[in-house]
Amino acid sequence: MSRIMVCVTKQKTCQRLIDYGKSLMTSDDDTMHIIHVSGIDYNFLGDSEDGRALDYLYEKAREAGADLLVLKSDDVLETLADIVKDNKIDKVVVGASREEKGFDGFNDNLRNAIKDNASLYVLE
């Protein structure tokens, strides 16, 4: 049984991450969790566009048969690593960050933080 975590932003381009997470599911016992973590000071529902983004994420999670978890944290990396450990996640899907080409600091740090528990899949 696989437990898959797909890390998303509020962008509609996250559909490809959800689709990839779904492709990693190989049995009916597999589960998928879609996670969005934003900073504590970020007002995710501060305007109607954010509300539409949340509705979109919820709908895509529902279509994929996944849970949607939206959290606030000032330490996104630690929060994601804790979710992996606490929920026995074994596969994590993320998009490539916009950092300097050849260096993806956040994803490299995430890979190191979860290496004892899960594999990291980074989509360009």
Side-chain angles (χ1 to χ4, degrees):
M1 177 172 112
S2 289
R3 293 183 179 169
I4 302 159
M5 180 172 85
V6 179
C7 304
V8 300
T9 64
K10 64 180 185 172
Q11 298 173 342
K12 289 189 176 182
T13 56
C14 291
Q15 177 65 48
R16 66 189 177 86
L17 301 175
I18 296 168
D19 291 343
Y20 188 81
K22 185 111 174 129
S23 77
L24 295 175
M25 298 175 78
T26 58
S27 81
D28 292 338
D29 293 330
D30 293 351
T31 59
M32 184 165 60
H33 309 276
I34 299 172
I35 310 294
H36 173 79
V37 181
S38 63
I40 288 177
D41 292 334
Y42 180 75
N43 188 2
F44 188 77
L45 295 175
D47 62 37
S48 62
E49 192 169 313
D50 283 346
R52 284 192 298 272
L54 186 59
D55 286 342
Y56 177 81
L57 286 176
Y58 174 75
E59 181 63 26
K60 294 305 168 186
R62 189 183 65 75
E63 287 173 4
D67 297 326
L68 174 64
L69 183 60
V70 178
L71 298 171
K72 288 183 167 249
S73 172
D74 278 336
D75 192 338
V76 174
L77 182 67
E78 182 179 344
T79 300
L80 293 175
D82 287 346
I83 292 169
V84 166
K85 186 176 179 184
D86 294 345
N87 293 284
K88 297 179 174 63
I89 302 292
D90 59 347
K91 297 174 184 171
V92 178
V93 178
V94 297
S97 71
R98 295 184 194 130
E99 297 198 26
E100 183 179 322
K101 189 168 181 135
F103 176 74
D104 196 351
F106 179 83
N107 287 337
D108 289 340
N109 291 337
L110 180 59
R111 180 177 283 109
N112 286 332
I114 66 171
K115 68 182 174 189
D116 294 333
N117 300 302
S119 298
L120 184 66
Y121 299 81
V122 180
L123 299 183
E124 294 292 328

